Amino acid sequence: MARRAADLTPHGGARPDVKFRRRTDNELQTLADQALIDYIRAAARAEDGEAARRGLAILVYGLTRNVRLRVRAKLNDGLYGPDTVEDVAQEAIARAIGAAFDGSSEGEFRSWLNTITDRAAIDFVRRERKRPEERPIPDDHERRPHFRSAGDHGTPDTSAALEAVLAAMKPAHRRVIELHVLEDRPAAEVCAIVEGMTPDNVAQVTRRFRLAMRRRLDADGP
Amino acid sequence: MTATVAQLLDRYRREHGAGGAADPVAFLARAAPWDRPELARLIDSFLASAPRQRFDPAGYRGSGAERTVERLAAALSAPRDPTRPRPPAHPGGVPSPGECQDPADDR
């Protein structure tokens, strides 16, 4: 029996024996991340490069905004511009999707992407710290407002509370607060400076610090 | 007076949902210094699970996303090294829906 044109690849070869049906853009938009990845893989197995590329475009473009915003929050100390943030974000997306394709990713795709994004931000900051002489000089207007010391922002009450809370902390935790809260450095950078710290540790230490500050300020009263 | 963490998070979510800039750095700057790490954590959690942005052909053309797609598409279409074992169709060893049926049918 003669093959139908639809059964042939653009080069005239027989299509692999894989059932694949193209979906419209609207249908692809509504697919969950993993289902969209499965669709792209199915398109690639069926050697339908155009459909695979379309699925990839919808996936990558769709993820970019949120990953870019996450990276911006993690990197920003006024030193890195939008191109750098975009590069780190795209690298994270490419690595996460690449791992999903080759089977080396772990668990649910979005969790894996978030993990890769966190690592990409930390790796970037570590690399940058190794070559401080190449870092650009920040524009003052780009820097977010810092809280370098209690005297910069705090009332006398706040300053006293801050000193008391810091004095009660372990040295490593105090260092985390100095860097992350008082100097406003991103968690990724704090992890690169304070040995053994992870982003989760930084979040935990700062949460405890915040509660301690609230308690102290409430206790002191108006 | 600075806004509370809950107020700022709510405003952030609304701006993000409306397609605004939703710049986390600008929102963090509005919080009290000791509230910033908590707000950063909450914004990060929100972004980590927020839905994908709708595809916009004009925004896509010439973007970083387009370059990433080119890179991934090239890797997908590259001939496999026959000496390498084929990875499982699904990381968990479960057949991928895309291999035997349409993924959308699985939802």
Side-chain angles (χ1 to χ4, degrees):
Chain A
M1 196 173 91
R3 281 186 183 277
R4 292 178 304 141
D7 292 330
L8 301 177
T9 66
H11 308 293
R15 282 201 187 283
D17 187 20
V18 175
K19 283 182 188 171
F20 175 73
R21 183 170 71 82
R22 278 194 184 188
R23 292 266 169 183
T24 65
D25 281 3
N26 278 340
E27 288 173 320
L28 296 179
Q29 302 271 15
T30 62
L31 291 181
D33 295 342
Q34 189 58 55
L36 186 48
I37 288 167
D38 290 337
Y39 172 88
I40 296 162
R41 293 168 79 202
R45 281 168 188 264
E47 296 183 7
D48 188 342
E50 193 183 328
R53 193 179 292 261
R54 195 65 181 170
L56 272 172
I58 286 169
L59 179 64
V60 174
Y61 183 84
L63 294 169
T64 290
R65 182 186 183 213
N66 293 332
V67 173
R68 186 196 292 135
L69 290 171
R70 289 190 74 226
V71 170
R72 172 153 167 74
K74 287 172 192 301
L75 293 192
N76 188 75
D77 60 1
L79 296 175
Y80 310 114
D83 289 348
T84 300
V85 170
E86 184 71 20
D87 287 348
V88 174
Q90 293 302 332
E91 181 61 28
I93 292 170
R95 277 166 55 190
I97 296 176
F101 285 155
D102 71 18
S104 62
S105 62
E106 293 165 19
E108 191 253 340
F109 173 76
R110 194 62 76 95
S111 301
W112 180 247
L113 172 64
N114 293 335
T115 301
I116 295 282
T117 303
D118 293 346
R119 283 188 203 160
I122 291 172
D123 288 349
F124 175 81
V125 172
R126 283 194 176 135
R127 279 199 306 273
E128 288 298 297
R129 286 183 60 78
K130 284 182 183 168
R131 43 175 192 170
E133 71 284 355
E134 293 175 26
R135 294 178 77 168
I137 297 169
D139 293 338
D140 280 346
H141 70 275
E142 286 181 353
R143 297 188 72 87
R144 70 200 226 202
H146 280 206
F147 184 62
R148 292 203 173 278
S149 69
D152 285 350
H153 284 60
T155 60
D157 284 349
T158 313
S159 303
L162 181 63
E163 281 173 24
V165 171
L166 284 176
M169 298 181 87
K170 292 178 186 170
H173 292 183
R174 191 160 50 236
R175 185 78 179 123
V176 167
I177 297 305
E178 285 166 357
L179 293 167
H180 193 45
V181 179
L182 305 187
E183 294 186 17
D184 221 8
R185 299 201 196 194
E189 191 173 338
V190 177
C191 293
I193 296 171
V194 185
E195 203 174 328
M197 279 291 154
T198 66
D200 282 347
N201 296 147
V202 172
Q204 205 170 37
V205 169
T206 51
R207 200 157 43 243
R208 280 196 218 121
F209 165 76
R210 184 170 167 259
L211 287 173
M213 278 296 289
R214 285 269 174 236
R215 268 199 299 268
R216 172 72 65 160
L217 289 169
D218 288 348
D220 290 348
Chain B
M1 190 181 136
T2 53
T4 67
V5 169
Q7 286 169 334
L8 286 168
L9 180 66
D10 185 52
R11 283 180 212 160
Y12 185 84
R13 293 167 73 113
R14 276 189 274 134
E15 184 170 320
H16 185 276
D23 179 4
V25 176
F27 275 77
L28 292 174
R30 294 186 217 163
W34 49 85
D35 283 340
R36 283 182 198 150
E38 176 69 0
L39 180 61
R41 190 183 65 76
L42 293 169
I43 288 177
D44 189 65
S45 296
F46 165 71
L47 290 172
S49 58
R52 293 194 310 264
Q53 186 178 22
R54 195 161 181 82
F55 186 70
D56 169 27
Y60 174 70
R61 266 192 298 278
S63 67
E66 186 177 33
R67 288 190 292 279
T68 299
V69 167
E70 293 307 315
R71 184 173 150 194
L72 287 166
L76 259 185
S77 61
R80 281 189 55 76
D81 177 356
T83 61
R84 277 187 65 200
R86 193 167 193 92
H90 188 275
V94 180
S96 148
E99 287 172 89
C100 49
Q101 64 188 61
D102 192 287
D105 296 338
D106 236 17
R107 297 185 314 133

